[in-house]
Amino acid sequence: MTLTLADLYASPDHYLHSFDGDTAVFVPMDRAAYHRSIFLDARISPAEDGALRVPVAALIESIPASLPTGWIMHVAHCGSTLLARALDDADANLVLREPQALRQLAFGPPDGRLALTTAMLSKRYRPDLPTIVKGNVPTNFLLPRISAATPGAPMIFLYLPLREYLFAILRSDNHRTWLRNVTTQLGKHVGGAIGALHNASDAQRAAALWLAQMQLYADAAGVMVNARSLDAETFFADPTTALTAAAAHFGVPLSPREIEARVGGALFATYSKNPAQSFGNADRLARRNDIEAELSVDLDEAERWIAARETEASSALATLRAIPLAV
């Protein structure tokens, strides 16, 4: 069967995975493949082998309007994968976790690809149920363009207070490597504090990245009337209430019984990125306590860095705390 551009825009079975130069790469998917793919980047688990390559220029010529889409934006290592998976019903709405094409746009030129990508991501299997997109740290820097294009979209800003964020970001060599890489990458494309951190310490990089994201969320909150904030510590402490509120916010039809089953089941008792590994909130808190003394110097340095920018940090946090996700 010969596929048309209309087919590519109509069915989630044709997933816009990434861009390769002037070519859009589509991967074959089905509902089960989306459900089992914890992430939709290089770790995707497609329905079958193979890929379709289409010139970007041809796709951009006929971009349809995006369908209403929900968004989960987050600061990383704050339970976003857990929240997104908890909202994913294999027989109902579609949840897209960290699309590779969207991440690429944070580092690419604004040449029409964002409208193309959001239209492709908005596709759904059931017209009566929402598609929800979970971004990642680079996609936070697309927020000015996303909020301008879809000011009415439901969005959740999942964040951590500074000190808890530092525990999450600085807790291991692997996390510090990720931090250095992402701040270096973003420093080439955004101004402000991150761009000035070429020789900064890990603590300064973490503080600057946290503040940049808080400011992006606060700015977007001023535009997006259906944006809400969720402190990750609140989510971890009371996942039933938070999940109930998130489902209602996005229009996901999860009953109280279904929510209780998810919160009390394997999903919340294992590591969200690796279901084979046991991990719950008690384990997270124990890990935090174990590394507090080890991180004391970094914590002090990062907090001093933010204290020198107290006005900006306090303003951004106040804006977020004024729009809490609530049942």
Side-chain angles (χ1 to χ4, degrees):
M1 183 178 95
T2 301
L3 288 174
T4 66
L5 293 181
D7 294 328
L8 295 178
Y9 274 115
S11 174
D13 285 355
H14 312 299
Y15 171 65
L16 173 58
H17 177 268
S18 55
F19 295 105
D20 182 7
D22 293 331
T23 301
V25 181
F26 288 82
V27 171
M29 297 290 282
D30 56 26
R31 187 63 190 86
Y34 281 112
H35 188 67
R36 69 173 178 261
S37 293
I38 295 178
F39 298 105
L40 292 171
D41 50 20
R43 295 164 287 185
I44 193 170
S45 177
E48 58 187 61
D49 293 335
L52 174 67
R53 302 173 70 88
V54 181
V56 171
L59 292 164
I60 289 178
E61 287 180 357
S62 56
I63 302 174
S66 295
L67 297 171
T69 305
W71 296 86
I72 298 173
M73 303 303 248
H74 62 94
V75 296
H77 309 296
C78 60
S80 62
T81 303
L82 180 61
L83 177 62
R85 292 185 63 202
L87 290 167
D88 186 358
D89 187 332
D91 297 318
N93 58 286
L94 194 57
V95 180
L96 309 177
R97 293 173 286 270
E98 305 199 9
Q100 178 70 12
L102 193 63
R103 185 187 192 279
Q104 288 178 305
L105 296 182
F107 307 107
D111 61 355
R113 296 189 187 201
L114 181 58
L116 163 63
T117 303
T118 53
M120 287 292 181
L121 294 178
S122 74
K123 295 181 291 186
R124 57 193 63 188
Y125 286 108
R126 285 184 53 175
D128 58 323
L129 294 177
T131 291
I132 301 168
V133 178
K134 179 181 98 77
N136 53 28
V137 167
T139 62
N140 287 328
F141 293 84
L142 293 171
L143 263 172
R145 294 162 61 191
I146 292 172
S147 60
T150 57
M155 181 174 284
I156 291 177
F157 303 122
L158 183 63
Y159 72 99
L160 283 164
L162 176 63
R163 194 171 183 85
E164 301 306 323
Y165 178 76
L166 297 171
F167 280 117
I169 295 298
L170 300 175
R171 69 178 187 257
S172 73
D173 288 341
N174 285 341
H175 288 80
R176 288 171 182 258
T177 297
W178 171 85
L179 170 67
R180 294 171 200 143
N181 287 340
V182 77
T183 50
T184 297
Q185 291 168 342
L186 291 170
K188 299 175 183 178
H189 299 276
V190 299
I194 293 177
L197 290 179
H198 305 299
N199 298 310
S201 67
D202 290 346
Q204 292 170 333
R205 285 176 179 265
L209 183 58
W210 177 83
L211 180 57
Q213 292 176 109
M214 294 301 98
Q215 291 176 312
L216 283 164
Y217 293 168
D219 290 345
V223 177
M224 304 191 74
V225 295
N226 291 318
R228 299 292 181 268
S229 69
L230 176 58
D231 185 329
E233 291 297 317
T234 299
F235 173 44
F236 292 137
D238 187 2
T240 298
T241 299
L243 182 56
T244 299
H249 185 58
F250 289 127
V252 176
L254 287 178
S255 69
R257 184 173 182 177
E258 289 172 315
I259 289 173
E260 289 290 349
R262 293 184 188 199
V263 171
L267 179 60
F268 280 78
T270 55
Y271 186 39
S272 61
K273 297 178 176 65
N274 179 11
Q277 178 182 341
S278 297
F279 190 79
N281 192 41
D283 300 297
R284 184 186 68 88
L285 294 173
R287 181 183 65 195
R288 179 198 186 283
N289 292 335
D290 288 343
I291 64 175
E292 185 164 10
E294 176 187 338
L295 291 180
S296 60
V297 173
D298 288 309
L299 295 173
D300 289 345
E301 182 181 3
E303 289 173 341
R304 286 195 304 271
W305 196 95
I306 291 296
R309 298 155 179 83
E310 178 62 27
T311 300
E312 299 97 313
S314 295
S315 176
L317 277 176
T319 298
L320 288 180
R321 289 170 176 164
I323 55 166
L325 182 69
V327 176

